[in-house]
Amino acid sequence: MAGAARLLHRRDHAARLRQGAGDGQQRRDDLLPAPGLRGGEGPARRAVLARQRRHAEADRRTAAAGLRHPAGRVPRPRAAAVQDRARGAGAPCPGGRGRRGRAEAPPGRILSAAPAPWRGATALGLGTAQFGLDYGIANDRGICPPEDVAAILETAAASGIGVLDTAPAYGTAEQVLGQVLPAAHRFRIVTKTPHLGGLRHADEIGRAVRDAFAASRAKLRRDRLAGLLTHNANDLLRPGGAALWAAMTALKRAGEVERIGASVYSAGQLAAVLERYPLDLVQLPWNAVDGRIGPPLLADLRERGIELHARSVFLQGLLLAPPAQAARVSPAAEALVGRWRDAVGAADPLAAALGTVIGRPEIGTTLVGVTRPEELAGILRAVAAAPPPITIVPSTDDLVLNPALWPSGGRPAAILTGGGVALRPMASGDVAVLAVLAKEGGDAGGAVRLGPVDRDAGEAMVAVEGVPEAWRDEAVALTARMAFEQIGLRRLVAAEPFPGWTAAAGRFILDDTSYWERT
């Protein structure tokens, strides 16, 4: 619930609490804890009731004053917040699975409201990779100069943009932000963990996270940041993931960061992380043509009280460029962008792409990246009013939707390279066909087929076709790396044995637990 919709809800709730003396029992019912917190009338229960009465009074004063939450903030449900405080920040949820329990709403609470009013620029956040790196397939300028960064940030602050997303891996971006931002700025800054470089020992991981976060705060000239995300969510799944989360939790408990979470690439990866850790904040890819993380999952995350930031809104600029530019990725990417431009028709593709994401009430912040002040000005004009809806059948093709799997260098190019062989995409979709060739190049020597993919089960078949025996095991290992680390699958199944796979019912299986233990 955002903006005016949230304010109306609060006013309605406050009005219910102010109903006459004959409604005293109803008033008490409205203040009962959600199921799972109910118990006897002991001190703990009385404290919960007193705290909820204070929240209700605060809601009444907020409604009377016409106030609202800052742009991009997604307030957590009261019951979920109470449950987290009862568990202790960062502690695992009951049952040991580490994911937030869903609290039922108190009587009369609306969990799914009518579409929220158009939020415009207040729903936006700025990605800052271009402030320190030559980033993006459609970036024709390179690194944004500091004087342009200053102009961009000044315009962003004046327009109501509230979030800056950065990372130590973004080159000099954090340093530039610290240099050009005024000390009294009101941006909420989210940064990320460093590349851990294969660290596995808890003390090494903790020290690396603490040192990198301290360096980020120093560069940004801030004592406290709004968010800290794992730059690679797979770091939470590998051995050492618990130590990484413990280090992030310690920073939160120390008051150095408000929310902690993960930056994810796929629904499968997100599900795996949520099973282990109680995330406060998730950054995920979401755009008009990406169907991998659907609205039901967004709604589920919102119910959990998780703040959502969406990136890849323009698919690194492909949704704004002619379809021929997408051919640099693959023919499948060119076809998808062509269908998108056909659906947009005469409408502005910039406004249509932004409208698709901003129109999702579950997404608190829509991240955009710019390299010029005029690019931000164009975005602000595009979000001044809600665009007409665009209908397109979204894709689930990871080789098209995940920039980490796009070829690098000239075509044809490999997307994964091992010690002696490389994989090059030949076809994508429900079944990906990956040509196997020598690392140094040359003709393909057979192929690996990955699919069909059962996304509900997180499972896919793997088959090797015509690959020389000397390349076979490494080609399969590279395919498994793509399946688990980039696509977020949970299990691979094959009709023939491969090293490290387990025989079961006449088939051979590699699951994500075994993969991460060996990686």
Side-chain angles (χ1 to χ4, degrees), residues 365-398:
T365 299
T366 300
L367 296 170
V368 296
V370 298
T371 59
R372 298 176 174 88
E374 51 268 37
E375 290 174 358
L376 179 57
I379 287 172
L380 293 174
R381 288 192 298 271
V383 301
I390 301 295
T391 301
I392 184 172
V393 177
S395 171
T396 58
D397 188 340
D398 290 282

mmCIF file of all heavy atoms in Angstrom, residues 365-398:
data_model
loop_
_atom_site.group_PDB
_atom_site.id
_atom_site.type_symbol
_atom_site.label_atom_id
_atom_site.label_comp_id
_atom_site.label_asym_id
_atom_site.label_seq_id
_atom_site.Cartn_x
_atom_site.Cartn_y
_atom_site.Cartn_z
ATOM 1 N N THR A 365 10.599 0.635 -4.667
ATOM 2 C CA THR A 365 11.503 1.524 -5.395
ATOM 3 C C THR A 365 11.843 0.929 -6.749
ATOM 4 O O THR A 365 12.223 -0.242 -6.836
ATOM 5 C CB THR A 365 12.797 1.764 -4.592
ATOM 6 O OG1 THR A 365 12.486 2.384 -3.349
ATOM 7 C CG2 THR A 365 13.759 2.655 -5.363
ATOM 8 N N THR A 366 11.696 1.734 -7.784
ATOM 9 C CA THR A 366 12.053 1.351 -9.144
ATOM 10 C C THR A 366 13.379 2.011 -9.485
ATOM 11 O O THR A 366 13.462 3.237 -9.611
ATOM 12 C CB THR A 366 10.960 1.800 -10.129
ATOM 13 O OG1 THR A 366 9.722 1.179 -9.783
ATOM 14 C CG2 THR A 366 11.334 1.453 -11.554
ATOM 15 N N LEU A 367 14.437 1.219 -9.612
ATOM 16 C CA LEU A 367 15.777 1.760 -9.823
ATOM 17 C C LEU A 367 16.037 2.024 -11.303
ATOM 18 O O LEU A 367 15.777 1.162 -12.150
ATOM 19 C CB LEU A 367 16.826 0.781 -9.293
ATOM 20 C CG LEU A 367 16.791 0.535 -7.783
ATOM 21 C CD1 LEU A 367 17.704 -0.631 -7.413
ATOM 22 C CD2 LEU A 367 17.197 1.790 -7.018
ATOM 23 N N VAL A 368 16.545 3.199 -11.596
ATOM 24 C CA VAL A 368 16.908 3.556 -12.968
ATOM 25 C C VAL A 368 18.344 4.055 -12.959
ATOM 26 O O VAL A 368 18.825 4.617 -11.973
ATOM 27 C CB VAL A 368 15.972 4.644 -13.545
ATOM 28 C CG1 VAL A 368 14.552 4.116 -13.659
ATOM 29 C CG2 VAL A 368 15.998 5.915 -12.695
ATOM 30 N N GLY A 369 19.035 3.842 -14.066
ATOM 31 C CA GLY A 369 20.396 4.328 -14.212
ATOM 32 C C GLY A 369 20.495 5.320 -15.344
ATOM 33 O O GLY A 369 19.901 5.113 -16.406
ATOM 34 N N VAL A 370 21.233 6.397 -15.132
ATOM 35 C CA VAL A 370 21.397 7.419 -16.169
ATOM 36 C C VAL A 370 22.866 7.834 -16.218
ATOM 37 O O VAL A 370 23.600 7.688 -15.242
ATOM 38 C CB VAL A 370 20.507 8.655 -15.905
ATOM 39 C CG1 VAL A 370 19.034 8.271 -15.929
ATOM 40 C CG2 VAL A 370 20.848 9.315 -14.572
ATOM 41 N N THR A 371 23.269 8.358 -17.358
ATOM 42 C CA THR A 371 24.637 8.876 -17.512
ATOM 43 C C THR A 371 24.648 10.370 -17.829
ATOM 44 O O THR A 371 25.724 10.973 -17.869
ATOM 45 C CB THR A 371 25.385 8.140 -18.638
ATOM 46 O OG1 THR A 371 24.669 8.308 -19.877
ATOM 47 C CG2 THR A 371 25.508 6.658 -18.319
ATOM 48 N N ARG A 372 23.491 10.952 -18.051
ATOM 49 C CA ARG A 372 23.391 12.377 -18.387
ATOM 50 C C ARG A 372 22.220 13.004 -17.647
ATOM 51 O O ARG A 372 21.186 12.349 -17.440
ATOM 52 C CB ARG A 372 23.154 12.576 -19.885
ATOM 53 C CG ARG A 372 24.245 12.063 -20.799
ATOM 54 C CD ARG A 372 23.825 12.235 -22.242
ATOM 55 N NE ARG A 372 24.894 11.896 -23.177
ATOM 56 C CZ ARG A 372 25.122 10.673 -23.644
ATOM 57 N NH1 ARG A 372 24.349 9.654 -23.232
ATOM 58 N NH2 ARG A 372 26.108 10.445 -24.489
ATOM 59 N N PRO A 373 22.310 14.287 -17.268
ATOM 60 C CA PRO A 373 21.169 14.950 -16.637
ATOM 61 C C PRO A 373 19.929 14.923 -17.514
ATOM 62 O O PRO A 373 18.801 14.789 -17.019
ATOM 63 C CB PRO A 373 21.674 16.377 -16.406
ATOM 64 C CG PRO A 373 23.164 16.246 -16.326
ATOM 65 C CD PRO A 373 23.512 15.144 -17.283
ATOM 66 N N GLU A 374 20.106 15.042 -18.821
ATOM 67 C CA GLU A 374 18.940 15.064 -19.704
ATOM 68 C C GLU A 374 18.228 13.709 -19.748
ATOM 69 O O GLU A 374 17.022 13.653 -20.008
ATOM 70 C CB GLU A 374 19.323 15.516 -21.116
ATOM 71 C CG GLU A 374 20.491 14.785 -21.735
ATOM 72 C CD GLU A 374 21.825 15.462 -21.496
ATOM 73 O OE1 GLU A 374 22.022 16.020 -20.402
ATOM 74 O OE2 GLU A 374 22.672 15.427 -22.427
ATOM 75 N N GLU A 375 18.979 12.621 -19.485
ATOM 76 C CA GLU A 375 18.326 11.316 -19.419
ATOM 77 C C GLU A 375 17.387 11.252 -18.219
ATOM 78 O O GLU A 375 16.267 10.734 -18.321
ATOM 79 C CB GLU A 375 19.376 10.206 -19.331
ATOM 80 C CG GLU A 375 20.168 10.012 -20.606
ATOM 81 C CD GLU A 375 21.295 9.005 -20.450
ATOM 82 O OE1 GLU A 375 21.490 8.486 -19.336
ATOM 83 O OE2 GLU A 375 21.990 8.747 -21.450
ATOM 84 N N LEU A 376 17.822 11.775 -17.090
ATOM 85 C CA LEU A 376 16.942 11.807 -15.915
ATOM 86 C C LEU A 376 15.750 12.720 -16.170
ATOM 87 O O LEU A 376 14.615 12.398 -15.778
ATOM 88 C CB LEU A 376 17.715 12.268 -14.685
ATOM 89 C CG LEU A 376 16.889 12.373 -13.397
ATOM 90 C CD1 LEU A 376 16.229 11.045 -13.055
ATOM 91 C CD2 LEU A 376 17.746 12.862 -12.233
ATOM 92 N N ALA A 377 15.981 13.850 -16.831
ATOM 93 C CA ALA A 377 14.872 14.749 -17.148
ATOM 94 C C ALA A 377 13.829 14.039 -18.006
ATOM 95 O O ALA A 377 12.616 14.197 -17.800
ATOM 96 C CB ALA A 377 15.389 16.004 -17.853
ATOM 97 N N GLY A 378 14.285 13.230 -18.968
ATOM 98 C CA GLY A 378 13.350 12.481 -19.794
ATOM 99 C C GLY A 378 12.566 11.461 -18.994
ATOM 100 O O GLY A 378 11.363 11.256 -19.220
ATOM 101 N N ILE A 379 13.225 10.812 -18.036
ATOM 102 C CA ILE A 379 12.532 9.849 -17.184
ATOM 103 C C ILE A 379 11.478 10.556 -16.340
ATOM 104 O O ILE A 379 10.344 10.063 -16.182
ATOM 105 C CB ILE A 379 13.547 9.100 -16.308
ATOM 106 C CG1 ILE A 379 14.345 8.110 -17.161
ATOM 107 C CG2 ILE A 379 12.866 8.372 -15.151
ATOM 108 C CD1 ILE A 379 15.497 7.453 -16.433
ATOM 109 N N LEU A 380 11.824 11.706 -15.794
ATOM 110 C CA LEU A 380 10.864 12.432 -14.958
ATOM 111 C C LEU A 380 9.654 12.878 -15.769
ATOM 112 O O LEU A 380 8.519 12.857 -15.275
ATOM 113 C CB LEU A 380 11.548 13.630 -14.302
ATOM 114 C CG LEU A 380 12.630 13.277 -13.275
ATOM 115 C CD1 LEU A 380 13.341 14.529 -12.785
ATOM 116 C CD2 LEU A 380 12.024 12.514 -12.099
ATOM 117 N N ARG A 381 9.882 13.282 -17.015
ATOM 118 C CA ARG A 381 8.735 13.628 -17.871
ATOM 119 C C ARG A 381 7.881 12.391 -18.145
ATOM 120 O O ARG A 381 6.649 12.452 -18.163
ATOM 121 C CB ARG A 381 9.217 14.227 -19.196
ATOM 122 C CG ARG A 381 9.773 15.633 -19.079
ATOM 123 C CD ARG A 381 9.960 16.272 -20.458
ATOM 124 N NE ARG A 381 10.916 15.544 -21.288
ATOM 125 C CZ ARG A 381 12.225 15.780 -21.302
ATOM 126 N NH1 ARG A 381 12.738 16.727 -20.532
ATOM 127 N NH2 ARG A 381 13.020 15.080 -22.093
ATOM 128 N N ALA A 382 8.543 11.253 -18.321
ATOM 129 C CA ALA A 382 7.817 10.025 -18.652
ATOM 130 C C ALA A 382 6.955 9.532 -17.505
ATOM 131 O O ALA A 382 5.934 8.880 -17.736
ATOM 132 C CB ALA A 382 8.812 8.936 -19.062
ATOM 133 N N VAL A 383 7.351 9.820 -16.255
ATOM 134 C CA VAL A 383 6.574 9.323 -15.107
ATOM 135 C C VAL A 383 5.652 10.381 -14.534
ATOM 136 O O VAL A 383 5.042 10.164 -13.482
ATOM 137 C CB VAL A 383 7.509 8.790 -13.997
ATOM 138 C CG1 VAL A 383 8.391 7.671 -14.517
ATOM 139 C CG2 VAL A 383 8.352 9.902 -13.387
ATOM 140 N N ALA A 384 5.529 11.504 -15.218
ATOM 141 C CA ALA A 384 4.664 12.561 -14.694
ATOM 142 C C ALA A 384 3.210 12.110 -14.602
ATOM 143 O O ALA A 384 2.452 12.579 -13.753
ATOM 144 C CB ALA A 384 4.781 13.812 -15.571
ATOM 145 N N ALA A 385 2.796 11.201 -15.464
ATOM 146 C CA ALA A 385 1.429 10.666 -15.433
ATOM 147 C C ALA A 385 1.491 9.188 -15.771
ATOM 148 O O ALA A 385 2.420 8.717 -16.436
ATOM 149 C CB ALA A 385 0.535 11.402 -16.430
ATOM 150 N N ALA A 386 0.497 8.453 -15.301
ATOM 151 C CA ALA A 386 0.462 7.009 -15.555
ATOM 152 C C ALA A 386 0.254 6.752 -17.040
ATOM 153 O O ALA A 386 -0.654 7.317 -17.657
ATOM 154 C CB ALA A 386 -0.658 6.364 -14.747
ATOM 155 N N PRO A 387 1.076 5.896 -17.658
ATOM 156 C CA PRO A 387 0.901 5.595 -19.087
ATOM 157 C C PRO A 387 -0.220 4.587 -19.283
ATOM 158 O O PRO A 387 -0.640 3.904 -18.335
ATOM 159 C CB PRO A 387 2.253 4.986 -19.460
ATOM 160 C CG PRO A 387 2.693 4.299 -18.208
ATOM 161 C CD PRO A 387 2.214 5.170 -17.077
ATOM 162 N N PRO A 388 -0.723 4.464 -20.500
ATOM 163 C CA PRO A 388 -1.728 3.423 -20.763
ATOM 164 C C PRO A 388 -1.107 2.043 -20.597
ATOM 165 O O PRO A 388 0.091 1.856 -20.834
ATOM 166 C CB PRO A 388 -2.129 3.677 -22.221
ATOM 167 C CG PRO A 388 -0.980 4.426 -22.818
ATOM 168 C CD PRO A 388 -0.417 5.249 -21.705
ATOM 169 N N PRO A 389 -1.881 1.051 -20.156
ATOM 170 C CA PRO A 389 -1.314 -0.289 -19.962
ATOM 171 C C PRO A 389 -0.869 -0.913 -21.277
ATOM 172 O O PRO A 389 -1.476 -0.693 -22.325
ATOM 173 C CB PRO A 389 -2.484 -1.072 -19.341
ATOM 174 C CG PRO A 389 -3.713 -0.327 -19.759
ATOM 175 C CD PRO A 389 -3.319 1.108 -19.838
ATOM 176 N N ILE A 390 0.199 -1.684 -21.196
ATOM 177 C CA ILE A 390 0.755 -2.391 -22.350
ATOM 178 C C ILE A 390 0.616 -3.885 -22.099
ATOM 179 O O ILE A 390 0.968 -4.381 -21.025
ATOM 180 C CB ILE A 390 2.241 -2.040 -22.563
ATOM 181 C CG1 ILE A 390 2.412 -0.538 -22.786
ATOM 182 C CG2 ILE A 390 2.828 -2.836 -23.715
ATOM 183 C CD1 ILE A 390 1.762 -0.025 -24.044
ATOM 184 N N THR A 391 0.102 -4.610 -23.062
ATOM 185 C CA THR A 391 -0.083 -6.056 -22.918
ATOM 186 C C THR A 391 0.974 -6.786 -23.730
ATOM 187 O O THR A 391 1.086 -6.596 -24.939
ATOM 188 C CB THR A 391 -1.484 -6.481 -23.401
ATOM 189 O OG1 THR A 391 -2.461 -5.781 -22.640
ATOM 190 C CG2 THR A 391 -1.672 -7.979 -23.229
ATOM 191 N N ILE A 392 1.745 -7.624 -23.054
ATOM 192 C CA ILE A 392 2.743 -8.450 -23.725
ATOM 193 C C ILE A 392 2.908 -9.731 -22.914
ATOM 194 O O ILE A 392 2.820 -9.718 -21.682
ATOM 195 C CB ILE A 392 4.098 -7.726 -23.853
ATOM 196 C CG1 ILE A 392 5.091 -8.591 -24.645
ATOM 197 C CG2 ILE A 392 4.654 -7.339 -22.514
ATOM 198 C CD1 ILE A 392 6.392 -7.891 -24.986
ATOM 199 N N VAL A 393 3.111 -10.832 -23.607
ATOM 200 C CA VAL A 393 3.349 -12.106 -22.922
ATOM 201 C C VAL A 393 4.799 -12.118 -22.458
ATOM 202 O O VAL A 393 5.717 -12.101 -23.282
ATOM 203 C CB VAL A 393 3.068 -13.298 -23.845
ATOM 204 C CG1 VAL A 393 3.387 -14.603 -23.126
ATOM 205 C CG2 VAL A 393 1.617 -13.279 -24.306
ATOM 206 N N PRO A 394 5.050 -12.117 -21.154
ATOM 207 C CA PRO A 394 6.435 -12.049 -20.685
ATOM 208 C C PRO A 394 7.191 -13.341 -20.941
ATOM 209 O O PRO A 394 6.603 -14.414 -21.073
ATOM 210 C CB PRO A 394 6.288 -11.776 -19.176
ATOM 211 C CG PRO A 394 4.945 -12.329 -18.827
ATOM 212 C CD PRO A 394 4.084 -12.136 -20.037
ATOM 213 N N SER A 395 8.498 -13.224 -20.982
ATOM 214 C CA SER A 395 9.383 -14.359 -21.254
ATOM 215 C C SER A 395 9.961 -14.908 -19.945
ATOM 216 O O SER A 395 10.055 -14.187 -18.946
ATOM 217 C CB SER A 395 10.524 -13.917 -22.165
ATOM 218 O OG SER A 395 11.513 -14.922 -22.282
ATOM 219 N N THR A 396 10.355 -16.173 -19.971
ATOM 220 C CA THR A 396 11.097 -16.775 -18.855
ATOM 221 C C THR A 396 12.457 -17.284 -19.325
ATOM 222 O O THR A 396 13.067 -18.114 -18.657
ATOM 223 C CB THR A 396 10.292 -17.926 -18.217
ATOM 224 O OG1 THR A 396 10.001 -18.910 -19.226
ATOM 225 C CG2 THR A 396 8.993 -17.415 -17.617
ATOM 226 N N ASP A 397 12.927 -16.791 -20.448
ATOM 227 C CA ASP A 397 14.180 -17.247 -21.047
ATOM 228 C C ASP A 397 15.360 -16.589 -20.324
ATOM 229 O O ASP A 397 15.665 -15.412 -20.528
ATOM 230 C CB ASP A 397 14.196 -16.883 -22.529
ATOM 231 C CG ASP A 397 15.378 -17.494 -23.277
ATOM 232 O OD1 ASP A 397 16.367 -17.868 -22.621
ATOM 233 O OD2 ASP A 397 15.300 -17.602 -24.513
ATOM 234 N N ASP A 398 16.038 -17.355 -19.471
ATOM 235 C CA ASP A 398 17.132 -16.794 -18.675
ATOM 236 C C ASP A 398 18.279 -16.292 -19.529
ATOM 237 O O ASP A 398 18.946 -15.311 -19.162
ATOM 238 C CB ASP A 398 17.644 -17.842 -17.693
ATOM 239 C CG ASP A 398 16.651 -18.133 -16.580
ATOM 240 O OD1 ASP A 398 16.561 -17.334 -15.648
ATOM 241 O OD2 ASP A 398 15.948 -19.161 -16.666
#
